[in-house]
Amino acid sequence: MIDLNVYNSLQPKKGRLLITEPFLESEYFHRKVILLCEHNEEGTFGFVLNNYVDISLSQFEGLPEFDTRISMGGPVSTKNLYYIHTLGEKLPGSINIIGNLYAGGDFELLKDMISSNQVAHNQIRFFLGYSGWVEKQLEGELKNNSWLVTDIKSIDEIMNVDYNSIWEDYMQSMGGKYKAFAHFPKDASLN
């Protein structure tokens, strides 16, 4: 019999990913991958990478048309638009997450850069809302085996809004029973 619990050898930190265990039943987090943008003694926040909504960027006031997909970043502040990017210092006020991956920055300048075609499809990702945990909350969920923590394989993968199999691919890359988890049906009653 397969042990269905997940176990972590890595601790959460800025720039790592959280991967939900395969049987977590949650509107926002079922088979999701979350980029951790901050993790410290006060709490944690990040964005769900694979939970897309059918909204175009131009539906937000003042934003130009831009060919991208928007992800539901999590259940907190879902009326607010957030973004990660690889523009670095070209966007003042950006906060480095890891390597050449950044969050936020000068929004007015970003709009101008998008309007003048200075931003490529793979340089920015947008999110409605974010995922957040108060002090010690994530650690409690990790002890309950709700999440796996892993390192990012490639920032290019993180920035690719067409990468639909990210949860399955990261599960498979962990090998062993996690590889098997990637092939379990989403609805266990169908097994």
Side-chain angles (χ1 to χ4, degrees):
M1 176 140 206
I2 294 177
D3 176 7
L4 298 179
N5 288 318
V6 297
Y7 301 100
N8 283 293
S9 58
L10 294 176
Q11 294 299 311
K13 74 175 189 178
K14 182 188 219 179
R16 284 194 169 148
L17 299 176
L18 288 181
I19 302 174
T20 57
E21 60 92 355
F23 309 108
L24 182 69
E25 292 186 23
S26 166
E27 177 183 352
Y28 282 97
F29 300 122
H30 183 70
R31 295 195 176 196
K32 299 300 184 253
V33 176
I34 298 172
L35 169 66
L36 294 179
C37 297
E38 188 60 70
H39 177 75
N40 58 39
E41 62 280 349
E42 296 173 15
T44 305
F45 91 92
F47 300 111
V48 175
L49 296 172
N50 58 333
N51 191 17
Y52 298 104
V53 293
D54 191 22
I55 298 173
S56 73
L57 194 62
S58 61
Q59 288 180 262
F60 294 90
E61 187 176 332
L63 285 168
E65 188 63 45
F66 187 70
D67 182 27
T68 192
R69 294 168 78 191
I70 298 172
S71 185
M72 187 58 101
V76 183
S77 296
T78 58
K79 294 191 186 309
N80 293 332
L81 189 68
Y82 300 91
Y83 47 97
I84 60 173
H85 57 85
T86 57
L87 300 168
E89 294 179 8
K90 292 178 188 174
L91 202 57
S94 299
I95 298 169
N96 183 255
I97 299 170
I98 188 172
N100 69 333
L101 186 61
Y102 293 80
D106 187 324
F107 189 59
E108 293 305 313
L109 178 58
L110 176 63
K111 290 192 296 188
D112 292 342
M113 290 173 72
I114 291 171
S115 293
S116 59
N117 296 315
Q118 297 178 50
V119 180
H121 177 74
N122 63 349
Q123 288 183 298
I124 193 154
R125 287 198 60 176
F126 292 94
F127 304 90
L128 279 176
Y130 66 91
S131 301
W133 294 262
V134 296
E135 177 184 0
K136 304 283 185 207
Q137 181 183 4
L138 180 57
E139 287 77 4
E141 291 179 12
L142 288 167
K143 285 179 184 172
N144 288 328
N145 302 317
S146 296
W147 305 96
L148 283 164
V149 179
T150 190
D151 288 315
I152 292 172
K153 291 188 268 180
S154 159
I155 290 175
D156 289 341
E157 286 180 348
I158 300 303
M159 297 306 294
N160 184 352
V161 296
D162 296 319
Y163 185 24
N164 295 317
S165 61
I166 190 169
W167 184 88
E168 293 84 358
D169 291 349
Y170 270 89
M171 273 291 180
Q172 285 188 36
S173 72
M174 288 186 241
K177 69 180 179 183
Y178 303 111
K179 188 174 183 176
F181 287 168
H183 301 288
F184 280 14
K186 287 185 178 182
D187 182 349
S189 68
L190 298 177
N191 196 7

